[in-house]
Each structure stands twice: as C-alpha cells, then as structure tokens.
Amino acid sequence: MTTNERKALLTACFIGFAYSANYTNHAPLKDMLVAAFETSTFEFTKAKFGLLTTAIFLTHALMQIPGGHLADHFGPKKILIAALSVVVIGNFGISTSTTYMALITWKFLIGFGTGTCFISGARYIYQNSKPERVLLNQGYYGACILMGSGFVIFAVPLIAKHFNAWNYGFLATAIVALLGLIAALFAPQAEAKEHPQTSLKALLSHGPLYALGWVQMASFGLVIVIGSWITTLLTEKSGIESKWLIHAVASLVLLIGIFSRSYGGNLVQRHGVKKVLVGSIFMNATGCMLLAFLPEVFPVVLLAIVLLGLGCGFPYSALFSRATSLFPGRAGAAMGLVNMMGIVFILCGAPLVGQLTDLSGNFTTAFLSLGLFALSSLFAIVKIPATNQH
C-alpha cells in the first residue's frame, strides 16, 4: 500500500466514524429526552421516539443516488467537505432544541449530510484503492462506520450523565463531526479512474443491484433498527440493573461489526459471495428469533447480539464491491442504490418496531417479524451474480 493510499484510507475511516455517530446518538438518550420533552399535552411514545431514527434516515436515503452522482461528477472530496459541514451545523442545532419538532427537524437536516457523506466516502475509497485491495479497504471503511454508530450507544449517555444534560451528548458528536470536516479538508485528492459511462436509466433498471439492496436491508438496515431499540429491550426485559452494563452490551450489536465488516472481505475471497451471504442471513434470523422469545435470559441475549453483529457485518464488502463492479463508471450511484434500499428498511422498521411494541406490550412480535424478513432475503441472493462481470 502506498503512502497516499494509506493516508486516504485512514482519513476516510475517521470520517466514516465521525458522521455515523449521528445514526444512533439519540438512541441511548431516550429516558433523558422523554423527561425533557414529555408534557401533559405531549406523550413521548416509543413510536414517536422511533421517528427520530426515521427522520435522519429519510433524508439519508434520499441522498444516496444524488449524492453518488455528485461524487461521480465533482469528485468525492469536495462533496465530503460540503456534506460534513451540514452534519456539524445539524449537531450544534439539535443540542439547542426545546421541542420535539425541533429535535426531529434537525435530525431530518442531518440526514442530508450523513447520506451524502456515506456514499462519497465509499466512492473515495474505491478511487484510492488498488483493485486487489478494494474489498479489504471497503471493509475497513464500513467497520469504522459501525464503530461510530456503536460507540456512541456507550459513550453518549456517559457524557450526558456526567454533565447531567442530554444536549451534551449531541455536542460531543458535533465536535467529532467537526474533526471529521477538518480531516476532509486535508485529505489527499481522489485518484481518477476512467471507466465506460453507462446511463442512469440502465443502472436503475438493473435487477441484480436490487438483489444486493435486499440483502443490504437484511444486514445494515436490520442492525441499525435493532441498534435503535436494543437499549430499551435490555432495560425492560433483561433484568440487568446496571445502566453501564446495559449500554455496554447494547453497543456490541454494532461494535462487533468493526471486526465482521473488516474480515468480511477475507471471507469473500476464500469462500465466495453467496456462501458468505447465506451464512450471514441465517445468523441474523437466528439472532432476531432469540431476542423475540428469550429476552429475559442474559446469556441468550448476548449470543443473539454476537450473531447479529457478525451476520450484519460480513456482507458489507461483498455488496458494495459487487455494485461497483457492475457499474464502475457510476460506482457512486450504484452503491447509492444498494444502500438506499437498506435505509428504506430503517425508515419503515424503526417506527414499526415501536408501534408493534406499543400495541403488544412486548418485543416478541417485532423481533419475530425482523427475523422472518431476514430469511426472505435468501430469495434475493439467488439473483446476485457469482462473478464480478456486468
């Protein structure tokens, strides 16, 4: 690996950590936010809390294909700088919120930045990696994204508790995003890679890309939905009294992805795409079923979290490297389409889990539904090309 490639990889990984903290930074602050914003005329239900996740991922999803197109056209570094600026402003803004509507509006704005950041970062990795290292480098980038979204589940409540104020949790992620912006300003320029251009219409009508997206729904989408609710499930059902232990265990569902996304590229090189994807989906489905039926048994819950952390992380490199190989001239837009589908699942899944839980009084139906959906993605794996040929 050249010095420039190493510097580009490290920069992209830190940026991935910085913006992804916004995916779940509200999740561990649920109790503090409810205490701060619930009034006699406003009930802060689980469904309304789930809409905070929906707000950020709605605009995050909307920017996947446009953000990829912008990165393809103007270069990923310029787009990263602009997008990170939006994330910084949004984080400082949400820390000053005084109403629920302000919270959800700032989350909505931040999604424009995080969505563009993700796809521009993936494009930046692709342009600054040698062909034989694309799988591994995308895995490292993806691992740092989960590191950011998982670490805040543990760190943000500690910061908020230390200052006895929920807004300090968001100020912490604002500072991290600002450091990411500074890193982007000094990042190496992305190296140009010339490929035959294909039409956006051809990309949007390509069946295998949607198959990749379906698996993305059952891996990345699934783990973010679970990450949004796992703290609440453990608090209500596990019997664990230590808040510190609850946050530490809950963060594992995402932090394990630091290993599984990094190692996923190696698994694909050894065993092939389809074997890795099928094994991952079975792990995800099993983890969801265990959480649905045995949330009171701590060793079972821990096993479920480990399975989900592994199963949701292993597919990452395979999905995005396969998308870029199908449309190398529009790599940003191709990856954007795949990731957009994963985010659509988050948009629907996060509030749906809250709604099903409000209606049933427990998480069984919600997590059973998540497990069945994971199994449904096995049908999509059949449609994914076995080689990197378009």
Side-chain angles (χ1 to χ4, degrees), residues 224-300:
I224 293 296
V225 170
I226 292 174
S228 297
W229 286 107
I230 191 66
T231 300
T232 303
L233 181 145
L234 290 174
T235 300
E236 296 182 1
K237 299 295 181 181
S238 68
I240 302 173
E241 296 183 0
S242 169
K243 291 288 186 181
W244 182 91
L245 182 58
I246 286 174
H247 291 306
V249 172
S251 66
L252 288 177
V253 73
L254 292 169
L255 292 180
I256 289 173
I258 298 169
F259 161 77
S260 58
R261 282 192 171 188
S262 300
Y263 194 64
N266 283 317
L267 287 178
V268 171
Q269 289 176 336
R270 292 181 184 180
H271 305 291
V273 169
K274 292 194 176 184
K275 287 183 180 179
V276 171
L277 295 184
V278 169
S280 298
I281 292 305
F282 277 113
M283 283 191 282
N284 293 344
T286 301
C288 288
M289 299 298 181
L290 292 175
L291 290 176
F293 294 109
L294 295 168
E296 300 88 357
V297 183
F298 180 70
V300 173

Side-chain angles (χ1 to χ4, degrees), residues 146-325:
L146 283 188
M147 185 188 297
S149 53
F151 180 73
V152 292
I153 293 178
F154 175 72
V156 160
L158 295 181
I159 294 170
K161 183 178 179 181
H162 177 76
F163 290 100
N164 196 30
W166 60 268
N167 55 319
Y168 277 87
F170 292 114
L171 284 173
T173 53
I175 293 170
V176 173
L178 181 59
L179 292 174
L181 174 58
I182 294 171
L185 289 170
F186 293 97
Q189 288 292 341
E191 297 180 8
K193 286 187 177 181
E194 297 296 331
H195 295 286
Q197 286 292 322
T198 53
S199 70
L200 191 59
K201 181 180 179 181
L203 184 150
L204 293 174
S205 61
H206 193 66
L209 275 181
Y210 290 91
L212 292 169
W214 193 348
V215 180
Q216 179 74 344
M217 293 167 78
S219 51
F220 169 70
L222 184 73
V223 80
I224 293 296
V225 170
I226 292 174
S228 297
W229 286 107
I230 191 66
T231 300
T232 303
L233 181 145
L234 290 174
T235 300
E236 296 182 1
K237 299 295 181 181
S238 68
I240 302 173
E241 296 183 0
S242 169
K243 291 288 186 181
W244 182 91
L245 182 58
I246 286 174
H247 291 306
V249 172
S251 66
L252 288 177
V253 73
L254 292 169
L255 292 180
I256 289 173
I258 298 169
F259 161 77
S260 58
R261 282 192 171 188
S262 300
Y263 194 64
N266 283 317
L267 287 178
V268 171
Q269 289 176 336
R270 292 181 184 180
H271 305 291
V273 169
K274 292 194 176 184
K275 287 183 180 179
V276 171
L277 295 184
V278 169
S280 298
I281 292 305
F282 277 113
M283 283 191 282
N284 293 344
T286 301
C288 288
M289 299 298 181
L290 292 175
L291 290 176
F293 294 109
L294 295 168
E296 300 88 357
V297 183
F298 180 70
V300 173
V301 170
L302 192 58
L303 173 62
I305 288 174
V306 171
L307 288 173
L308 286 163
L310 295 174
C312 290
F314 286 147
Y316 180 87
S317 292
L319 297 177
F320 286 95
S321 64
R322 188 53 43 88
T324 57
S325 70

